[in-house]
Amino acid sequence: MERCRSGLSLSEGAMSRQIKVEAAEIATLRVAAGETLRVVNSLGGQVVDAWFFAADDWTEHVCMSHSRAALRTIRPVVGSAFVTCRRVPLITMAADTSPGVHDMTMPPCDRWRYQQLDAPGHRNCADNLRSALHAAGHAAGVMLPDPLNLFQNSPVAPDGTITFRESSAPAGSYVDLRADRDLIAFLSVCPMDIMPINGGSPREIAAVVLDGVT
Ligand SMILES: [Zn+2]
């Protein structure tokens, strides 16, 4: 595991490796094939933007559009395999103790979104990923993959209308994601405090890499 950019607590053990990721920060984690990444909503109500890149080829990453097509849904469940832009499974949802409300449709928050919201210079998930990619030695352009927005409650009504609501994830609930290949995961603790998705107050999460369980 690589240290999270915030330099917060990190521990490594024989069975698992765990970090705490503060609100608005991003963590970079290496997950080997067969290992499971557990994303814990420590205090509840927090959205986590998640990206996954193949460790051996940074041009290959999970794509939400291709995953929607492969899964025939916008609502991932246990067993859902997220595929890359080459339609190859990279990571699979192995467990979910939250109410199962996640988003596969929205881009990350970015500097332009906050400009629209009269908050220029606001911390944002897109720049978090750019910084983390740069720190890992990779250039990041203007275009970024759309994230898997864990715990994000942005339902699509039958008439197609999308709304933004508070995350329904309880404190301590988690999602397990099993790596199908060696990969690098980026977890951005969404700093949005203007729209209601994080209840107006972003908060810390935890991430654990479990060795070959679940
Ligand atoms: Zn965000």
Side-chain angles (χ1 to χ4, degrees):
M1 176 188 297
E2 298 169 35
R3 195 174 187 86
C4 64
R5 196 161 60 86
S6 61
L8 293 172
S9 58
L10 177 150
S11 61
E12 298 211 18
M15 297 302 294
S16 66
R17 317 189 295 278
Q18 177 168 347
I19 59 172
K20 179 173 72 172
V21 194
E22 296 286 1
E25 296 288 347
I26 188 166
T28 303
L29 303 105
R30 177 178 288 274
V31 188
E35 291 185 330
T36 295
L37 172 62
R38 176 168 293 177
V39 183
V40 184
N41 217 312
S42 306
L43 303 178
Q46 177 61 45
V47 171
V48 180
D49 289 40
W51 290 272
F52 309 100
F53 289 72
D56 61 350
D57 183 355
W58 285 75
T59 67
E60 186 158 26
H61 50 73
V62 164
C63 288
M64 284 299 105
S65 55
H66 295 71
S67 295
R68 292 193 299 269
L71 294 169
R72 307 288 204 278
T73 188
I74 58 172
R75 295 173 183 164
V77 296
V78 171
S80 293
F82 301 96
V83 302
T84 69
C85 40
R86 296 171 196 157
R87 302 181 186 266
V88 177
L90 190 58
I91 196 163
T92 299
M93 186 175 288
D96 185 1
T97 69
S98 79
V101 178
H102 311 286
D103 176 84
M104 296 177 64
T105 66
M106 289 292 150
C109 63
D110 53 37
R111 67 187 78 171
W112 301 285
R113 181 66 180 128
Y114 288 106
Q115 287 176 6
Q116 292 176 336
L117 294 169
D118 292 325
H122 196 289
R123 188 81 182 257
N124 64 81
C125 290
D127 284 341
N128 273 354
L129 179 61
R130 288 189 181 92
S131 296
L133 286 170
H134 185 265
H138 297 275
V142 173
M143 298 301 294
L144 296 173
D146 283 343
L148 169 61
N149 295 303
L150 294 170
F151 312 113
Q152 180 165 326
N153 187 7
S154 46
V156 181
D159 69 356
T161 303
I162 301 173
T163 55
F164 292 102
R165 300 179 183 171
E166 289 189 22
S167 171
S168 59
S173 62
Y174 62 84
V175 168
D176 283 347
L177 298 153
R178 188 188 63 249
D180 298 305
R181 292 167 56 184
D182 292 353
L183 59 85
I184 309 297
F186 298 95
L187 301 176
S188 178
V189 185
C190 184
M192 175 57 77
D193 54 3
I194 302 170
M195 301 295 287
I197 58 171
N198 298 309
S201 180
R203 61 214 78 173
E204 70 184 53
I205 66 157
V208 191
V209 177
L210 303 163
D211 294 340
V213 299
T214 71

Coordinates of all heavy atoms in Angstrom, one line a residue, residues 116-183:
Q116 N -19.4 27.2 -10.7 CA -20.9 27.4 -10.9 C -21.6 27.6 -9.5 O -22.6 28.3 -9.5 CB -21.5 26.1 -11.5 CG -21.1 25.9 -13.0 CD -21.6 24.6 -13.5 OE1 -22.0 23.7 -12.8 NE2 -21.7 24.5 -14.8
L117 N -21.1 27.0 -8.5 CA -21.7 27.1 -7.2 C -21.1 28.3 -6.4 O -21.4 28.4 -5.1 CB -21.5 25.8 -6.4 CG -22.2 24.6 -7.0 CD1 -21.7 23.3 -6.3 CD2 -23.7 24.7 -6.8
D118 N -20.4 29.2 -7.0 CA -19.9 30.4 -6.4 C -18.9 30.0 -5.3 O -18.8 30.7 -4.2 CB -21.0 31.3 -5.8 CG -21.8 31.9 -6.9 OD1 -21.2 32.3 -8.0 OD2 -23.0 32.1 -6.8
A119 N -18.1 29.0 -5.5 CA -17.1 28.6 -4.6 C -15.8 28.3 -5.3 O -15.3 27.1 -5.2 CB -17.6 27.4 -3.8
P120 N -15.3 29.3 -6.0 CA -14.0 29.0 -6.8 C -12.9 28.6 -5.8 O -12.8 29.1 -4.7 CB -13.7 30.4 -7.5 CG -14.5 31.4 -6.6 CD -15.7 30.7 -6.1
G121 N -12.0 27.7 -6.3 CA -10.9 27.3 -5.5 C -11.3 26.2 -4.5 O -10.4 25.7 -3.7
H122 N -12.5 25.7 -4.5 CA -12.9 24.7 -3.6 C -12.2 23.4 -3.8 O -11.9 23.0 -5.0 CB -14.4 24.5 -3.7 CG -15.1 23.7 -2.6 ND1 -14.9 22.4 -2.4 CD2 -16.0 24.1 -1.6 CE1 -15.6 22.0 -1.3 NE2 -16.3 23.1 -0.8
R123 N -11.8 22.7 -2.8 CA -11.2 21.3 -3.0 C -12.2 20.5 -3.8 O -13.4 20.6 -3.6 CB -11.0 20.7 -1.6 CG -10.2 19.4 -1.6 CD -8.8 19.7 -1.7 NE -8.0 18.4 -1.8 CZ -7.3 17.9 -0.7 NH1 -7.3 18.6 0.4 NH2 -6.6 16.8 -0.8
N124 N -11.7 19.6 -4.6 CA -12.6 18.8 -5.5 C -12.0 17.4 -5.8 O -10.8 17.3 -5.8 CB -13.0 19.6 -6.7 CG -11.8 19.8 -7.6 OD1 -11.4 18.9 -8.4 ND2 -11.2 21.0 -7.5
C125 N -12.9 16.5 -6.1 CA -12.4 15.1 -6.3 C -11.6 15.0 -7.6 O -10.7 14.2 -7.7 CB -13.7 14.2 -6.4 SG -14.5 14.0 -4.8
A126 N -11.9 15.7 -8.7 CA -11.2 15.6 -9.9 C -9.7 16.0 -9.7 O -8.8 15.3 -10.1 CB -11.8 16.5 -11.0
D127 N -9.5 17.2 -9.0 CA -8.1 17.6 -8.8 C -7.4 16.7 -7.8 O -6.2 16.5 -7.8 CB -8.1 19.0 -8.3 CG -8.3 20.0 -9.5 OD1 -8.1 19.6 -10.6 OD2 -8.7 21.2 -9.2
N128 N -8.2 16.1 -6.9 CA -7.6 15.1 -6.0 C -7.0 13.9 -6.8 O -5.9 13.5 -6.6 CB -8.7 14.5 -5.1 CG -8.9 15.3 -3.8 OD1 -8.1 16.2 -3.5 ND2 -9.9 14.9 -3.0
L129 N -7.8 13.5 -7.8 CA -7.3 12.4 -8.6 C -6.1 12.8 -9.4 O -5.1 12.1 -9.5 CB -8.4 11.8 -9.6 CG -7.9 10.7 -10.5 CD1 -7.4 9.5 -9.7 CD2 -9.0 10.3 -11.5
R130 N -6.1 14.0 -10.0 CA -5.0 14.5 -10.8 C -3.7 14.5 -9.9 O -2.6 14.1 -10.3 CB -5.3 15.9 -11.3 CG -6.3 15.9 -12.5 CD -6.4 17.3 -13.1 NE -7.4 17.2 -14.2 CZ -8.7 17.5 -14.0 NH1 -9.1 18.0 -12.8 NH2 -9.5 17.4 -15.0
S131 N -3.9 15.0 -8.7 CA -2.7 15.1 -7.8 C -2.2 13.7 -7.4 O -1.0 13.5 -7.4 CB -3.1 15.8 -6.5 OG -3.5 17.2 -6.8
A132 N -3.1 12.8 -7.2 CA -2.7 11.4 -6.8 C -2.0 10.7 -8.0 O -1.1 10.0 -7.8 CB -3.9 10.6 -6.3
L133 N -2.6 10.9 -9.2 CA -1.9 10.3 -10.4 C -0.5 10.9 -10.6 O 0.4 10.2 -10.9 CB -2.8 10.6 -11.6 CG -4.1 9.8 -11.8 CD1 -4.9 10.3 -12.9 CD2 -3.8 8.3 -12.0
H134 N -0.4 12.2 -10.4 CA 0.9 12.9 -10.6 C 1.9 12.3 -9.6 O 3.0 12.0 -9.9 CB 0.7 14.4 -10.4 CG 2.0 15.1 -10.7 ND1 2.9 15.5 -9.7 CD2 2.6 15.5 -11.8 CE1 3.9 16.2 -10.2 NE2 3.8 16.2 -11.5
A135 N 1.4 12.2 -8.3 CA 2.3 11.6 -7.3 C 2.7 10.2 -7.6 O 3.8 9.8 -7.1 CB 1.5 11.7 -5.9
A136 N 1.9 9.5 -8.3 CA 2.2 8.1 -8.7 C 3.0 8.1 -10.0 O 3.4 7.0 -10.5 CB 0.9 7.3 -8.8
G137 N 3.4 9.2 -10.5 CA 4.2 9.3 -11.7 C 3.5 9.3 -13.0 O 4.2 8.9 -14.0
H138 N 2.3 9.6 -13.0 CA 1.5 9.5 -14.2 C 0.9 10.9 -14.5 O 0.3 11.5 -13.6 CB 0.4 8.5 -14.1 CG 1.0 7.1 -14.0 ND1 1.4 6.3 -15.0 CD2 1.3 6.4 -12.9 CE1 1.9 5.2 -14.6 NE2 1.8 5.2 -13.3
A139 N 0.9 11.3 -15.8 CA 0.3 12.5 -16.2 C -1.2 12.4 -16.2 O -1.7 11.3 -16.6 CB 0.8 13.0 -17.6
A140 N -1.9 13.4 -15.8 CA -3.4 13.4 -15.9 C -3.8 14.5 -16.7 O -3.5 15.7 -16.4 CB -4.0 13.4 -14.5
G141 N -4.6 14.3 -17.7 CA -5.0 15.3 -18.6 C -6.3 16.0 -18.1 O -6.8 15.7 -17.0
V142 N -6.9 16.7 -19.0 CA -8.2 17.4 -18.6 C -9.3 16.3 -18.4 O -10.1 16.4 -17.5 CB -8.6 18.4 -19.7 CG1 -10.0 18.9 -19.4 CG2 -7.6 19.5 -19.7
M143 N -9.3 15.3 -19.3 CA -10.3 14.3 -19.2 C -9.9 13.2 -18.2 O -8.8 12.7 -18.2 CB -10.5 13.6 -20.6 CG -10.9 14.6 -21.7 SD -12.5 15.4 -21.2 CE -13.6 14.0 -21.3
L144 N -10.8 12.9 -17.3 CA -10.6 11.8 -16.3 C -11.8 10.8 -16.5 O -12.8 11.1 -17.0 CB -10.7 12.4 -14.9 CG -9.6 13.4 -14.6 CD1 -9.9 14.0 -13.2 CD2 -8.2 12.8 -14.5
P145 N -11.5 9.6 -16.1 CA -12.6 8.6 -16.1 C -13.7 9.1 -15.1 O -13.4 9.7 -14.1 CB -11.9 7.3 -15.6 CG -10.5 7.5 -15.7 CD -10.2 9.0 -15.6
D146 N -14.9 8.7 -15.3 CA -15.9 8.9 -14.3 C -15.7 7.9 -13.2 O -15.3 6.7 -13.4 CB -17.3 8.7 -14.9 CG -17.8 9.9 -15.7 OD1 -17.2 10.9 -15.6 OD2 -18.7 9.7 -16.5
P147 N -15.9 8.3 -12.0 CA -15.7 7.4 -10.8 C -16.9 6.5 -10.5 O -18.1 6.8 -11.0 CB -15.5 8.4 -9.7 CG -16.4 9.6 -10.0 CD -16.3 9.7 -11.5
L148 N -16.7 5.5 -9.8 CA -17.8 4.8 -9.1 C -18.0 5.6 -7.8 O -17.2 5.7 -7.0 CB -17.4 3.3 -8.8 CG -18.3 2.6 -7.9 CD1 -19.7 2.4 -8.4 CD2 -17.7 1.2 -7.6
N149 N -19.2 6.1 -7.7 CA -19.5 7.0 -6.6 C -20.2 6.2 -5.5 O -21.4 6.0 -5.4 CB -20.4 8.1 -7.0 CG -19.7 9.0 -8.0 OD1 -18.7 9.6 -7.7 ND2 -20.3 9.2 -9.2
L150 N -19.3 5.6 -4.6 CA -19.8 4.7 -3.5 C -20.7 5.6 -2.6 O -20.3 6.7 -2.2 CB -18.7 4.1 -2.8 CG -17.9 3.0 -3.7 CD1 -16.6 2.6 -2.9 CD2 -18.8 1.8 -4.0
F151 N -21.8 5.0 -2.2 CA -22.7 5.6 -1.2 C -23.4 6.8 -1.6 O -24.1 7.5 -0.8 CB -21.9 5.9 0.2 CG -21.1 4.7 0.7 CD1 -19.7 4.9 0.7 CD2 -21.6 3.6 1.1 CE1 -18.9 3.8 1.2 CE2 -20.8 2.5 1.6 CZ -19.5 2.6 1.6
Q152 N -23.2 7.2 -2.9 CA -23.9 8.4 -3.4 C -25.4 8.2 -3.7 O -25.7 7.2 -4.5 CB -23.2 9.0 -4.6 CG -23.9 10.3 -5.1 CD -23.0 11.1 -6.1 OE1 -21.8 11.1 -6.0 NE2 -23.6 11.7 -7.1
N153 N -26.2 9.0 -3.2 CA -27.7 8.9 -3.4 C -28.2 9.9 -4.4 O -28.5 11.0 -4.0 CB -28.4 9.0 -2.0 CG -29.8 8.7 -2.1 OD1 -30.4 8.3 -3.1 ND2 -30.5 9.0 -1.0
S154 N -28.1 9.5 -5.6 CA -28.6 10.4 -6.7 C -29.5 9.6 -7.6 O -29.2 9.2 -8.7 CB -27.4 11.0 -7.5 OG -26.5 10.0 -7.8
P155 N -30.7 9.3 -7.1 CA -31.6 8.4 -7.8 C -32.1 9.0 -9.1 O -32.3 10.2 -9.3 CB -32.8 8.2 -6.8 CG -32.8 9.5 -5.9 CD -31.3 9.8 -5.8
V156 N -32.4 8.1 -10.0 CA -33.0 8.4 -11.3 C -34.5 8.0 -11.3 O -34.8 6.8 -11.1 CB -32.3 7.7 -12.5 CG1 -32.9 8.0 -13.8 CG2 -30.8 8.0 -12.5
A157 N -35.4 8.9 -11.4 CA -36.8 8.6 -11.4 C -37.2 8.0 -12.7 O -36.5 8.1 -13.7 CB -37.6 9.9 -11.2
P158 N -38.4 7.4 -12.7 CA -38.9 6.7 -13.9 C -39.0 7.7 -15.1 O -38.8 7.2 -16.3 CB -40.3 6.2 -13.5 CG -40.2 5.9 -12.1 CD -39.3 7.0 -11.6
D159 N -39.2 9.0 -14.8 CA -39.2 9.9 -16.0 C -37.8 10.4 -16.4 O -37.7 11.3 -17.2 CB -40.1 11.1 -15.6 CG -39.5 12.0 -14.5 OD1 -38.4 11.7 -14.0 OD2 -40.1 13.1 -14.2
G160 N -36.8 9.8 -15.8 CA -35.4 10.2 -16.1 C -34.8 11.3 -15.3 O -33.6 11.6 -15.4
T161 N -35.6 11.9 -14.4 CA -35.1 13.0 -13.6 C -34.1 12.5 -12.6 O -34.3 11.4 -11.9 CB -36.3 13.7 -12.8 OG1 -37.2 14.1 -13.8 CG2 -35.8 14.8 -12.0
I162 N -33.0 13.2 -12.4 CA -32.0 12.8 -11.4 C -32.0 13.9 -10.3 O -32.1 15.1 -10.5 CB -30.6 12.8 -12.0 CG1 -30.5 11.8 -13.2 CG2 -29.5 12.5 -11.0 CD1 -29.2 11.8 -14.0
T163 N -32.0 13.4 -9.1 CA -31.9 14.3 -7.9 C -30.7 14.0 -7.0 O -30.2 12.8 -7.1 CB -33.2 14.2 -7.0 OG1 -33.4 12.8 -6.7 CG2 -34.4 14.7 -7.8
F164 N -30.3 14.9 -6.3 CA -29.2 14.7 -5.3 C -29.7 14.7 -3.9 O -30.3 15.7 -3.5 CB -28.1 15.9 -5.5 CG -27.4 15.8 -6.8 CD1 -27.7 16.7 -7.8 CD2 -26.4 14.9 -7.0 CE1 -27.0 16.7 -9.0 CE2 -25.7 14.9 -8.2 CZ -26.0 15.8 -9.2
R165 N -29.5 13.6 -3.2 CA -30.0 13.5 -1.9 C -28.8 13.1 -0.9 O -27.8 12.7 -1.4 CB -31.1 12.4 -1.8 CG -32.3 12.8 -2.7 CD -33.3 11.7 -2.6 NE -34.4 12.0 -3.5 CZ -35.4 11.1 -3.7 NH1 -35.4 9.9 -3.1 NH2 -36.4 11.4 -4.5
E166 N -29.1 13.2 0.4 CA -28.1 12.8 1.3 C -27.8 11.3 1.2 O -28.7 10.5 1.0 CB -28.5 13.1 2.8 CG -28.6 14.6 3.1 CD -28.8 14.9 4.6 OE1 -28.6 14.0 5.4 OE2 -29.3 16.0 4.9
S167 N -26.5 11.0 1.4 CA -26.2 9.6 1.4 C -26.9 8.9 2.5 O -27.1 9.4 3.6 CB -24.7 9.4 1.6 OG -24.3 8.1 1.9
S168 N -27.4 7.6 2.2 CA -28.1 6.9 3.2 C -27.2 5.9 4.0 O -27.8 5.1 4.7 CB -29.3 6.1 2.5 OG -28.8 5.3 1.5
A169 N -25.9 5.9 3.8 CA -25.1 4.9 4.4 C -24.9 5.1 5.9 O -24.5 6.2 6.3 CB -23.7 5.0 3.7
P170 N -25.2 4.2 6.7 CA -25.1 4.3 8.1 C -23.6 4.3 8.5 O -22.7 3.8 7.8 CB -25.8 3.1 8.7 CG -26.6 2.5 7.6 CD -25.8 2.9 6.3
A171 N -23.3 4.8 9.7 CA -22.0 4.8 10.3 C -21.5 3.3 10.4 O -22.3 2.5 10.9 CB -21.9 5.5 11.6
G172 N -20.3 3.0 9.9 CA -19.8 1.7 10.1 C -20.1 0.8 8.9 O -19.5 -0.3 8.8
S173 N -21.0 1.2 8.0 CA -21.3 0.3 6.9 C -20.2 0.3 5.9 O -19.4 1.3 5.9 CB -22.6 0.8 6.2 OG -22.6 2.1 5.7
Y174 N -20.1 -0.7 5.1 CA -18.9 -0.8 4.2 C -19.3 -1.6 2.9 O -20.3 -2.3 2.9 CB -17.8 -1.5 4.9 CG -18.0 -2.9 5.3 CD1 -17.8 -4.0 4.4 CD2 -18.3 -3.2 6.6 CE1 -18.0 -5.3 4.8 CE2 -18.5 -4.5 7.0 CZ -18.4 -5.5 6.1 OH -18.6 -6.8 6.5
V175 N -18.4 -1.4 1.9 CA -18.5 -2.1 0.7 C -17.2 -2.8 0.5 O -16.1 -2.3 0.7 CB -18.7 -1.2 -0.5 CG1 -18.5 -1.9 -1.8 CG2 -20.1 -0.6 -0.5
D176 N -17.2 -4.1 0.1 CA -16.0 -4.9 -0.2 C -15.9 -5.0 -1.7 O -16.9 -5.4 -2.4 CB -16.1 -6.3 0.4 CG -15.8 -6.3 1.9 OD1 -15.3 -5.3 2.4 OD2 -16.0 -7.3 2.5
L177 N -14.8 -4.7 -2.2 CA -14.5 -4.8 -3.7 C -13.3 -5.7 -3.9 O -12.2 -5.5 -3.4 CB -14.2 -3.4 -4.3 CG -15.4 -2.5 -4.1 CD1 -14.9 -1.0 -4.1 CD2 -16.4 -2.7 -5.3
R178 N -13.5 -6.9 -4.6 CA -12.4 -7.8 -4.8 C -11.7 -7.6 -6.1 O -12.4 -7.5 -7.2 CB -13.0 -9.3 -4.8 CG -12.0 -10.4 -4.8 CD -12.5 -11.7 -5.0 NE -13.2 -11.9 -6.3 CZ -14.5 -12.0 -6.4 NH1 -15.3 -12.0 -5.4 NH2 -15.1 -12.1 -7.6
A179 N -10.4 -7.5 -6.1 CA -9.7 -7.2 -7.3 C -9.6 -8.5 -8.1 O -9.2 -9.5 -7.7 CB -8.3 -6.7 -6.9
D180 N -9.9 -8.3 -9.4 CA -9.8 -9.4 -10.4 C -8.4 -9.4 -11.0 O -8.0 -10.5 -11.5 CB -10.9 -9.3 -11.5 CG -12.3 -9.3 -10.9 OD1 -12.6 -10.3 -10.2 OD2 -13.1 -8.4 -11.1
R181 N -7.7 -8.3 -11.0 CA -6.4 -8.2 -11.4 C -5.6 -7.3 -10.4 O -6.3 -6.6 -9.7 CB -6.3 -7.5 -12.8 CG -6.9 -8.4 -13.9 CD -7.0 -7.6 -15.2 NE -5.8 -6.9 -15.7 CZ -5.8 -6.1 -16.7 NH1 -6.9 -5.8 -17.4 NH2 -4.7 -5.5 -17.1
D182 N -4.3 -7.2 -10.5 CA -3.6 -6.3 -9.7 C -4.0 -4.9 -10.2 O -4.1 -4.6 -11.4 CB -2.1 -6.4 -9.9 CG -1.5 -7.7 -9.4 OD1 -2.2 -8.5 -8.7 OD2 -0.3 -8.0 -9.7
L183 N -4.3 -4.0 -9.2 CA -4.8 -2.7 -9.6 C -4.4 -1.6 -8.6 O -3.9 -1.9 -7.5 CB -6.3 -2.7 -9.7 CG -7.1 -3.1 -8.5 CD1 -7.4 -1.9 -7.5 CD2 -8.5 -3.8 -8.9

